[in-house]
Amino acid sequence: MFVSGGVGVEHNAVFQNAVTPRVSVAVYARNPSATSAAGETKLTLNAGKGIKAPAIFQELSSLFALAKNVSGVGPIGPERARVFDVGLEQSLAQGRVRARVTYFDNSYDNLIEFVSKNVLPQLGVSTAAANASGFGAYVNSQSYDARGAELSVDAMLGTYVRVAGSYTYLDATVKASLSGGALAPATNAAFPGVKIGAFSPLVGNRPFRRPTNSGSVLVSYTQGKAQVGVSGYFSGKQDDSTFLSEIGRAHV
């Protein structure tokens, strides 16, 4: 059994302090072997927290910077993540084939959303401050859960050819969003009655640009100092937005 852990402590002049613990565990249920057809079997577990600090332009264009006199509006903070995954890794054919399967359950909170200047007054910002913002402001208001599974196989075919492939299934659901919370969903005259998340996804929908199915494949040939490889990536349908300029919500 191998166990490693750590704690990150970050200090930021805007959001002050953030602590991010993490731990990883690997257990060999079957020891490595260079001769056995069924090689090592390894169980893995990873858990932890992380943050992503807001960019400087997001801080300077935050709702707090625009409207410090609005009650209840605090400084923009970091985006936060809580991650957990457990997996199984199996070696086969004297180590020439390695297969992995992982289940993950993650959550992402305090995600930064952009609010158009046209709707800032609905959050208590004065019309003058909203107009002075240019296009709008940033706030910590979105969160979503993401769970699913990852599969991958890596194999050597003969002496020179390597083949690798991976597949990810992602089930993600928006838990909080201004588009379905403080702000009413948008609508487009071309599609009456259809609720749209113009700048951010609606609560209960999928996050933008997070496909349900995605994967990759790689084939490479290596001999001596020369290597030639061909790789491909695929992505299933994913929600996105055209910001009401045409159809409001598109599938890519």
Side-chain angles (χ1 to χ4, degrees):
M1 176 183 290
F2 299 85
V3 180
S4 63
V7 176
V9 179
E10 300 189 41
H11 177 75
N12 185 287
V14 175
F15 58 80
Q16 298 305 309
N17 301 316
V19 179
T20 54
R22 53 195 175 273
V23 63
S24 296
V25 180
V27 180
Y28 278 97
R30 180 184 175 91
N31 291 331
S33 173
T35 59
S36 173
E40 72 266 23
T41 302
K42 184 168 66 174
L43 304 175
T44 61
L45 182 148
N46 299 283
K49 294 183 177 182
I51 68 166
K52 178 183 178 182
I56 292 179
F57 75 90
Q58 291 174 327
E59 294 180 4
L60 297 178
S61 300
S62 67
L63 183 58
F64 176 75
L66 282 173
K68 293 183 179 180
N69 59 333
V70 175
S71 176
V73 177
I76 195 169
E79 298 182 319
R80 298 182 180 275
R82 187 273 303 159
V83 298
F84 170 83
D85 66 74
V86 58
L88 172 67
E89 182 176 311
Q90 179 66 52
S91 175
L92 301 167
Q94 290 81 43
R96 299 179 65 83
V97 179
R98 189 171 296 274
R100 305 177 183 88
V101 57
T102 301
Y103 169 79
F104 59 87
D105 188 332
N106 306 331
S107 66
Y108 303 91
D109 300 294
N110 267 23
L111 302 182
I112 297 174
E113 288 186 281
F114 179 80
V115 183
S116 169
K117 72 173 183 179
N118 297 326
V119 296
L120 279 175
Q122 299 180 44
L123 300 179
V125 179
S126 68
T127 303
N131 292 334
S133 69
F135 294 100
Y138 292 93
V139 294
N140 296 101
S141 55
Q142 187 183 147
S143 64
Y144 70 87
D145 291 332
R147 58 184 61 87
E150 296 178 342
L151 306 173
S152 67
V153 177
D154 195 327
M156 287 297 300
L157 304 182
T159 306
Y160 308 113
V161 179
R162 173 183 172 232
V163 177
S166 67
Y167 166 76
T168 299
Y169 170 78
L170 174 64
D171 178 19
T173 306
V174 176
K175 298 186 301 179
S177 169
L178 279 180
S179 290
L183 304 178
T187 57
N188 188 310
F191 301 90
V194 178
K195 296 180 179 180
I196 296 169
F199 289 92
S200 57
L202 299 178
V203 174
N205 285 7
R206 295 183 61 83
F208 287 162
R209 296 174 290 280
R210 297 294 185 272
T212 302
N213 302 289
S214 61
S216 65
V217 62
L218 166 70
V219 178
S220 65
Y221 178 87
T222 304
Q223 186 171 14
K225 296 182 179 181
Q227 182 182 69
V228 177
V230 177
S231 60
Y233 303 88
F234 71 86
S235 172
K237 290 183 178 180
Q238 53 186 307
D239 288 353
D240 209 332
S241 173
T242 60
F243 311 108
L244 293 178
S245 61
E246 293 178 0
I247 62 173
R249 184 166 176 263
H251 288 290
V252 179

